[in-house]
């Protein structure tokens, strides 16, 4: 070995490529002991990196939060993600790289944490005025008539929804309340709320289709 | 369709749920980055990402993170 750490290679000698075994995260994390501890620390570092990456992408939406609080939120998100990853190791199927699979937990955790923090002091109105949702495009008289019919149909369609569907649709689609924030305040989950939103949209589309107005929205 | 109408009416196509979206997100993003037909592997994912702002943001973040990791 040379002083620089490079291998000395004689002329004509072929150096075999090092055999690199794919690192088995799942097995190593389950091993425990020093190897398991190292894997756990490395996994936490990866999750922290992903959570920090997500926080940087959202920094502009959180201008009033200081660096120290943001660091705390990022660390909390990474810790939560680590718990989620470890509790779901059995569900890792190898359909992607382990690191990609783990990253999605950190991104999700950081995104939810930071959305909720951004809305913490903001009121969520579940019954706002239904303003005109179709801007006046100022087109031909025919287009203006179509826009007016569309506005009326949308208003009627929204009013025909169940109260819960209407609340969710108006909050998410019109007020643009993040679905995680709404889920937290209503004591439910993102998935359940999205199902409600999906059903409301389907009913609204059907109503517009019945009146021959769905084409107008394209 | 304007943005408000898009948010009100959604994609109007077959779409996966938020739970399935999360389960498949890692595989879907890797397939996209590899230039493969990710939508064929997870039918209804693209529609869901158009309809769900939260899942769409997380899809964009995971994609950006992997790209960042491959270039840094």
């Amino acid at each position: 070995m040379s002083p620089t750490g490079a291998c000395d290679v004689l002329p004509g000698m072929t150096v075999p490529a090092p055999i690199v075994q794919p690192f088995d995260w799942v097995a190593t994390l389950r091993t425990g002991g020093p190897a398991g501890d190292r894997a756990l620390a490395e996994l936490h570092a990866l999750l922290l990196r992903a959570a920090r990456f997500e926080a940087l992408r959202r920094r502009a939406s959180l201008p009033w939060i200081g660096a120290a609080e943001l660091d705390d939120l990022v660390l909390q998100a990474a810790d939560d993600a680590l718990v989620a990853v470890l509790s779901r190791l059995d569900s890792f199927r190898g359909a992607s790289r382990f690191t990609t699979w783990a990253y999605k937990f950190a991104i999700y955790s950081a995104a939810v944490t930071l959305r909720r923090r951004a809305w913490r002091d903001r009121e969520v109105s579940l019954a706002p005025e239904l303003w005109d949702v179709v801007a006046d495009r100022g087109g031909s008289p025919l287009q203006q008539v179509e826009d007016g019919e569309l506005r009326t149909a949308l208003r009627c369609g929204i009013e025909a929804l169940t109260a819960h569907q209407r609340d969710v649709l108006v909050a998410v689609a019109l007020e643009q309340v993040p679905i995680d924030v709404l889920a937290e305040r209503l004591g439910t989950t993102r998935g359940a709320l999205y199902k409600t939103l999906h059903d409301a949209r389907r009913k609204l589309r059907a109503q517009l289709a019945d009146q021959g107005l769905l084409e107008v929205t394209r | 369709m304007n943005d408000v109408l898009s948010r009100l009416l959604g994609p109007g196509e077959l779409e996966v749920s938020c739970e399935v979206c999360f389960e498949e997100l890692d595989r879907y993003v890797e397939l996209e980055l590899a230039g493969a037909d990710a939508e064929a592997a997870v039918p209804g994912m693209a529609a869901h990402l158009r309809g769900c702002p939260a899942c769409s943001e997380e899809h964009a973040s995971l994609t950006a993170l992997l790209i960042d990791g491959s270039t840094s």
Side-chain angles (χ1 to χ4, degrees):
Chain A
M1 188 76 76
S2 73
T4 60
C7 292
D8 294 323
V9 180
L10 297 173
M13 177 187 277
T14 303
V15 180
I19 298 171
V20 179
Q21 297 289 348
F23 183 69
D24 189 338
W25 277 96
V26 175
T28 310
L29 286 166
R30 286 202 180 112
T31 300
D37 290 346
R38 277 197 303 275
L40 197 60
E42 193 171 338
L43 175 60
H44 189 261
L46 287 171
L47 298 174
L48 197 55
R49 173 180 176 255
R52 198 168 279 138
F53 184 85
E54 178 65 13
L56 282 175
R57 284 170 64 83
R58 294 179 174 278
R59 192 66 180 102
S61 69
L62 300 158
W64 59 89
I65 294 181
E69 186 187 356
L70 193 61
D71 279 349
D72 284 346
L73 292 171
V74 165
L75 183 59
Q76 177 194 324
D79 289 349
D80 291 346
L82 183 64
V83 171
V85 166
L86 294 177
S87 69
R88 296 188 58 182
L89 276 183
D90 286 341
S91 69
F92 177 63
R93 298 167 294 161
S96 70
R97 283 172 293 175
F98 179 84
T99 48
T100 306
W101 180 76
Y103 279 152
K104 75 177 173 181
F105 288 89
I107 296 236
Y108 173 85
S109 181
V112 171
T113 299
L114 296 172
R115 282 187 199 111
R116 287 177 178 170
R117 178 61 186 88
W119 278 74
R120 191 178 72 185
D121 303 320
R122 293 174 67 176
E123 186 182 347
V124 173
S125 171
L126 291 177
E129 290 293 313
L130 293 177
W131 61 86
D132 285 342
V133 295
V134 181
D136 189 347
R137 290 178 285 189
S140 66
L142 176 61
Q143 196 171 53
Q144 289 180 31
V145 170
E146 283 180 340
D147 285 353
E149 290 176 350
L150 184 57
R151 277 191 207 100
T152 303
L154 282 169
R155 191 181 299 273
C156 292
I158 290 171
E159 285 170 1
L161 298 172
T162 68
H164 182 56
Q165 287 174 337
R166 189 166 52 246
D167 286 347
V168 172
L169 181 70
V170 168
V172 174
L174 298 184
E175 299 276 293
Q176 296 193 70
V177 179
I179 200 162
D180 301 309
V181 173
L182 191 62
E184 182 185 39
R185 298 196 187 186
L186 297 179
T188 183
T189 63
R190 179 195 297 192
L193 275 194
Y194 194 79
K195 172 74 169 57
T196 302
L197 180 67
H198 182 265
D199 291 345
R201 284 168 162 174
R202 194 177 55 202
K203 282 170 78 170
L204 201 51
R205 278 183 170 273
Q207 178 125 348
L208 294 186
D210 285 347
Q211 297 177 49
L213 288 169
L214 204 49
E215 287 300 315
V216 176
T217 65
R218 295 183 198 280
Chain B
M1 200 187 301
N2 69 34
D3 287 347
V4 178
L5 278 175
S6 294
R7 293 197 301 270
L8 273 175
L9 299 176
E13 299 166 33
L14 170 77
E15 58 177 304
V16 300
S17 64
C18 291
E19 289 85 353
V20 170
C21 178
F22 184 77
E23 288 303 316
E24 298 287 353
L25 188 62
D26 47 318
R27 178 166 75 112
Y28 189 85
V29 169
E30 284 196 355
L31 287 170
E32 283 184 312
L33 292 177
D37 188 350
E39 179 61 16
V42 191
M45 187 75 153
H48 182 71
L49 293 174
R50 287 198 301 278
C52 181
C55 289
S56 177
E57 287 175 7
E58 289 148 23
H59 165 261
S61 291
L62 184 58
T63 303
L65 178 63
L66 294 188
I67 291 171
D68 182 71
S70 68
T71 55
S72 60

